[in-house]
């Protein structure tokens, strides 16, 4: 794929994502704000790979774990979320958030260990 076609595809994806976010904002404003804030944090994290935050793998692991827990909490506890059940079953919501956070933490560590074992 040449450069112009790749840029047009990227522009199409950005416009589609923007339109999707606007449509979602009209249906679920609080959930969309949470998703936009998490998306901003993700883009900021990925755009600044030269910062001190990326110098240790443990810092990156903490970021991915925190992002997963916050996303899970937004999906479960925000009132206009499509999967909201945290207002009726708080214990289950906290348990699911905890399990997802642990799973992401363990998965990130496993991937880092696998990468390190292949390098050596």
């Amino acid at each position: 794929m040449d450069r112009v076609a790749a840029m047009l595809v990227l522009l199409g994806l950005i416009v589609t994502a923007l339109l999707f976010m606007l449509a979602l904002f009209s249906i679920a404003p609080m959930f969309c704000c949470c998703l936009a804030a998490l998306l901003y944090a993700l883009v900021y994290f990925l755009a600044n790979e030269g910062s001190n935050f990326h110098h240790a793998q443990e810092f990156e692991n903490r970021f991915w774990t925190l992002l997963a827990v916050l996303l899970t909490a937004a999906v479960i506890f925000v009132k206009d979320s499509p999967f909201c059940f945290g207002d009726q079953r708080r214990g289950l919501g906290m348990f699911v958030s905890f399990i997802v956070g642990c799973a992401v933490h363990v998965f990130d560590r496993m991937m880092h260990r696998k990468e390190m074992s292949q390098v050596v």
Side-chain angles (χ1 to χ4, degrees):
M1 182 183 306
D2 64 334
R3 184 179 173 144
V4 174
M7 294 304 264
L8 287 174
V9 169
L10 182 62
L11 179 65
L13 288 174
I14 290 172
V15 168
T16 303
L18 181 64
L19 290 175
F20 179 74
M21 286 296 282
L22 287 173
L24 184 63
F25 188 75
S26 69
I27 297 170
M30 289 304 295
F31 182 63
C32 186
C33 287
C34 290
L35 286 182
L38 289 173
L39 185 64
Y40 175 76
L42 178 65
V43 168
Y44 185 77
F45 176 76
L46 294 176
N48 295 320
E49 282 198 35
S51 69
N52 290 335
F53 195 73
H54 288 276
H55 286 193
Q57 196 276 332
E58 186 63 31
F59 292 154
E60 291 186 10
N61 190 354
R62 289 178 191 156
F63 172 79
W64 291 117
T65 303
L66 182 66
L67 188 75
V69 168
L70 290 176
L71 180 62
T72 306
V75 167
I76 292 173
F77 291 107
V78 174
K79 296 276 188 208
D80 55 4
S81 168
F83 302 109
C84 178
F85 62 86
D87 55 347
Q88 298 144 356
R89 299 184 199 112
R90 288 196 176 133
L92 181 63
M94 297 286 276
F95 179 72
V96 169
S97 296
F98 178 75
I99 292 299
V100 168
C102 287
V104 168
H105 181 76
V106 168
F107 178 75
D108 189 47
R109 284 187 169 244
M110 180 191 68
M111 294 303 291
H112 181 67
R113 286 185 186 128
K114 186 177 178 182
E115 180 182 324
M116 293 300 287
S117 67
Q118 291 176 354
V119 171
V120 175

